[in-house]
Amino acid sequence: MVYSTQDLLHILDQELKATLRGDRLLLAPDERIGVPIVTMALDHDQLGKVFACQDFTQQIHQYQRENNVSGIVWREITLGDRRVQLPEIHQQLIAIESDKETLQQAKQNILEFWQQITLGLQLWQLADHQLLPVTPQEIAHAGQRAEWAELDVGHGEFYLALCWGNPKECHYRWAAPQSGCDRLIAAPKNPVTSIFFKPCRTTEIRSAY
C-alpha cells in the first residue's frame, strides 16, 4: 500500500509532536554544524529536535519521489455565489512532476474567478516593496504568460500571484529569473496588507515578459 498525501501529512504531524515531546532526538547535533564556537552557544536538545525533524521530513520527500505521491492539497474560496477550488503545494511536502500540471490546469478557473470578484476595484502590482498601478489588460496579458496562478483573500482585499518555474522556489527572490511570481492586489482603495506578501519578483508586469 502506498501512503496518500493526507497519510504523509498525518505521519509528519505525529512525528513533529513526538519530536516536540522529546521522543525523537538526534545524537551529537553539533557534528551537523561543525563550528564548535557556535554549537557551544546553542541548546543541544533544541538542535537535536530541529535536525530530527529535518531528517524525517527529507525521508518523507524521498518517499514522495519514489512512490509518486503528490504534494498538493486543495483549498476552496467562496464569495457569495462564486466558488473556486485552489490546488497548492503543502509547505511540508515537495512538488512531484505531475503536480505542476495540476497547478497549470487550475489557472484558467482561478483567473476567471479573480476577474469576477475584482470588477470595479483598483489594481496594483507589488514590486520591490512598492505598489504600482496596473490595468486589467496588463494583468490579463501577464496571466497568459504565467504557468499557474495562486489566489488569496484578505479583509476587503484580493491577492493574485502569477507564477512560473519551480513551485517550491517561486516565492523566493534568489530563485529568479528561473522561478518567480508577479504579485497583484485588488482593493477599493490603497491596500493596507501588502506587507504580508511573500518575497516576490521585483520587475513590473509590463516589462516582465
Side-chain angles (χ1 to χ4, degrees):
M1 181 192 77
V2 176
Y3 290 116
S4 68
T5 302
Q6 290 303 319
D7 290 334
L8 295 184
L9 290 175
H10 177 71
I11 291 170
L12 277 166
D13 180 64
Q14 294 302 307
E15 185 67 17
L16 175 60
K17 290 177 180 177
T19 301
L20 293 177
R21 290 194 305 266
D23 296 344
R24 309 283 192 273
L25 287 177
L26 185 71
L27 299 179
D30 53 325
E31 295 179 4
R32 298 285 289 271
I33 298 178
V35 183
I37 270 185
V38 173
T39 56
M40 287 174 60
L42 299 176
D43 186 307
H44 280 215
D45 286 343
Q46 292 301 320
L47 280 178
K49 292 177 181 179
V50 169
F51 286 128
C53 283
Q54 288 180 345
D55 288 350
F56 189 79
T57 300
Q58 289 174 2
Q59 292 178 45
I60 292 292
H61 294 170
Q62 185 60 32
Y63 183 90
Q64 282 185 259
R65 297 186 189 96
E66 293 175 352
N67 295 278
N68 203 36
V69 180
S70 172
I72 283 181
V73 293
W74 288 83
R75 181 167 59 92
E76 183 177 278
I77 292 180
T78 301
L79 290 172
D81 60 350
R82 298 187 175 93
R83 179 180 303 173
V84 66
Q85 295 282 343
L86 304 169
E88 299 176 341
I89 306 299
H90 194 278
Q91 60 182 0
Q92 290 182 290
L93 301 177
I94 62 169
I96 61 173
E97 186 173 349
S98 60
D99 284 345
K100 189 170 182 177
E101 182 178 347
T102 300
L103 295 174
Q104 293 170 328
Q105 290 172 347
K107 184 183 80 168
Q108 189 58 39
N109 286 340
I110 295 173
L111 293 180
E112 290 176 0
F113 186 80
W114 162 268
Q115 292 170 356
Q116 293 169 358
I117 64 177
T118 59
L119 285 175
L121 299 180
Q122 298 182 46
L123 304 172
W124 292 269
Q125 182 191 10
L126 182 66
D128 199 20
H129 303 293
Q130 294 183 335
L131 290 171
L132 306 175
V134 291
T135 67
Q137 292 75 22
E138 289 171 333
I139 293 178
H141 178 68
Q144 293 175 355
R145 299 289 186 177
E147 293 187 82
W148 73 93
E150 299 175 357
L151 183 67
D152 210 347
V153 177
H155 295 292
E157 299 180 359
F158 306 96
Y159 313 113
L160 179 70
L162 301 175
C163 306
W164 65 93
N166 186 329
K168 291 296 287 187
E169 297 178 354
C170 63
H171 297 295
Y172 300 98
R173 293 181 184 276
W174 54 260
Q178 289 78 16
S179 301
C181 289
D182 286 319
R183 296 287 184 169
L184 295 310
I185 309 173
K189 55 183 180 180
N190 287 344
V192 296
T193 57
S194 60
I195 58 173
F196 296 112
F197 268 125
K198 296 175 183 176
C200 65
R201 194 180 183 189
T202 59
T203 52
E204 297 182 37
I205 282 180
R206 63 198 68 177
S207 62
Y209 300 101

